[in-house]
Amino acid sequence: ALAPRCGWILPGLEQRLAVPALLSPATARPYAAAAKTAKKDAKRSRQEKEKEKEKPPPRRRMLMTKPVDDVYLTWLYRRPSYELEQAVGMLKRFQELDFTSPRQFVYINVFLDMALQKKKKVDPFSSYVTLPHRFTDEVNKVLVFTENEQEAEVAREHGAAIVGGVELVKWILEDEIQADFYVAVPAIIPKLIPLRNKLKRKYPSTRKNNDSLGTDIPKMLQFFRECHEYAVEDESIIKTRIARLDMPTEHVIANLKTVIHDICTFKPSNFDPIVRRLVIRSSTSEGLQLDLDGILPQVEKAEEKEEENTAEEDQQKPVQESVST
């Protein structure tokens, strides 16, 4: 009997089915296709980068100087600069319009240029200055190191908050005693060395603008009890208060110039001024950028002085020659 048609098998077909099919190159080498694709992507990205280099940089829109309307986009205009007296008057006017406290503090933000020669920079610093017009009744807490009973009595009479000798070292290291400033006489300094790392920049010394080591205790106490402290933040910014808004304008200006002149002493005069930008504000107002002309100290460069001297000598020579003849 014949087998059903569906069960027929052609001659030799069984053998051909037993032979494995030929593999394609991509199947035989699975990583070849991926490597080829990656190579094409790298080439395409390289070409795109070259095209980007060939494109001219986008032109930045020139900022306009002065708006003509009361409402405008600030980022389209240069930030205006104001004269110091004008800016203080504007802050006072802002306070009246906003009905805020007239006794609020006035602050300045000083943006510094710390660069020196090559890659050198001015190290971040702190300083203390006596303002010509006090704007707060707060008095700094001053500790005096001395083992002399007479000196200790003088310190107490002139307002020292804490007076003592070596016995205070342990309490300071354990944070049992804290003060705003630390003053010492030279005789006790060798015994205070354990406090050097603890007190850091407030350790008694004779460095610039921090003469907290000496024998004139009344003078040191008077300075540190009333002095104003400021410090560099974020490596190039000083933020500090300088006055109260209800003070006379001339008092605010005098305090600001005192702080700025002290800041300028931390960079040699033969370099660019250390003050790059100056902003003044009150507790509730916006910041006003100040025009630096008339605020920074006028420092004549050595080269200019030499040129002036040589010019004066040249003018005097003909006169002397005519007199001699």
Side-chain angles (χ1 to χ4, degrees):
L2 294 175
R5 181 180 293 273
C6 62
W8 288 2
I9 299 177
L10 297 175
L13 180 60
E14 187 177 356
Q15 294 179 357
R16 288 198 299 273
L17 291 174
V19 177
L22 295 175
L23 299 175
S24 64
T27 310
R29 293 182 296 170
Y31 300 105
K36 192 173 182 180
T37 306
K39 190 174 181 180
K40 287 182 179 180
D41 293 341
K43 186 177 180 180
R44 192 181 299 111
S45 63
R46 205 180 307 119
Q47 291 175 351
E48 291 175 356
K49 288 181 180 179
E50 291 177 356
K51 288 181 180 179
E52 289 178 359
K53 289 181 180 179
E54 292 175 359
K55 290 182 181 179
R59 297 181 62 183
R60 186 176 180 183
R61 182 192 296 269
M62 293 293 293
L63 296 178
M64 293 177 279
T65 54
K66 190 176 182 180
V68 294
D69 299 322
D70 294 336
V71 180
Y72 58 93
L73 297 174
T74 56
W75 56 272
L76 289 177
Y77 296 87
R78 296 175 186 171
R79 188 172 184 178
S81 296
Y82 302 95
E83 298 291 336
L84 179 53
E85 187 173 355
Q86 179 189 6
V88 176
M90 291 174 66
L91 295 182
K92 291 178 178 290
R93 182 62 178 162
F94 293 159
Q95 177 269 319
E96 294 175 358
L97 294 174
D98 295 339
F99 297 99
T100 54
S101 172
R103 292 183 60 83
Q104 60 186 291
F105 291 116
V106 177
Y107 298 83
I108 56 172
N109 294 352
V110 190
F111 300 85
L112 306 177
D113 178 9
M114 309 285 275
L116 293 174
Q117 288 180 345
K118 298 179 180 178
K119 295 183 180 180
K120 295 183 179 179
K121 292 184 179 181
V122 178
D123 295 328
F125 56 86
S126 62
S127 184
Y128 320 110
V129 62
T130 301
L131 298 178
H133 305 284
R134 285 178 54 79
F135 59 89
T136 177
D137 296 330
E138 298 175 3
V139 177
N140 298 320
K141 185 178 179 180
V142 183
L143 183 150
V144 178
F145 289 107
T146 180
E147 292 182 326
N148 185 295
E149 188 57 36
Q150 293 180 351
E151 293 175 341
E153 188 62 30
V154 171
R156 295 188 189 95
E157 291 176 357
H158 286 82
I162 303 171
V163 182
V166 185
E167 69 277 3
L168 298 179
V169 173
K170 176 184 177 183
W171 302 110
I172 295 174
L173 290 174
E174 295 178 355
D175 293 327
E176 295 291 337
I177 294 178
Q178 294 180 350
D180 297 318
F181 297 100
Y182 300 84
V183 169
V185 295
I188 199 174
I189 275 294
K191 302 178 182 179
L192 302 181
I193 293 177
L195 293 176
R196 185 182 294 275
N197 293 333
K198 178 70 175 179
L199 300 182
K200 297 181 180 178
R201 58 187 172 87
K202 291 191 176 181
Y203 183 79
S205 67
T206 56
R207 67 184 178 91
K208 181 180 178 181
N209 297 345
N210 184 20
D211 195 359
S212 54
L213 177 62
T215 56
D216 194 344
I217 295 177
K219 181 180 178 181
M220 291 189 294
L221 280 171
Q222 182 181 2
F223 175 78
F224 284 104
R225 290 181 76 241
E226 300 179 356
C227 71
H228 177 72
E229 181 181 9
Y230 66 86
V232 176
E233 304 174 11
D234 300 328
E235 298 185 353
S236 62
I237 301 176
I238 294 175
K239 300 177 182 179
T240 184
R241 59 185 186 179
I242 58 166
R244 269 195 339 266
L245 198 56
D246 61 343
M247 293 172 60
T249 300
E250 57 271 19
H251 290 185
V252 178
I253 293 175
N255 283 0
L256 182 144
K257 288 186 175 181
T258 300
V259 175
I260 295 299
H261 287 206
D262 189 69
I263 293 172
C264 290
T265 61
F266 284 89
K267 189 175 183 179
S269 59
N270 56 336
F271 291 95
D272 293 334
I274 190 171
V275 178
R276 180 169 51 88
R277 192 158 61 91
L278 179 59
V279 176
I280 188 172
R281 65 176 181 84
S282 68
S283 301
T284 59
S285 75
E286 62 177 294
L288 302 176
Q289 183 167 288
L290 296 177
D291 186 356
L292 295 179
D293 292 339
I295 298 179
L296 300 184
Q298 300 296 325
V299 180
E300 295 183 3
K301 295 182 179 180
E303 297 178 358
E304 295 177 354
K305 289 185 178 180
E306 290 179 0
E307 291 177 359
E308 292 177 358
N309 293 335
T310 53
E312 291 177 359
E313 290 176 0
D314 293 339
Q315 291 176 357
Q316 292 176 359
K317 282 182 180 179
V319 177
Q320 293 175 356
E321 290 177 358
S322 61
V323 171
S324 61
T325 55

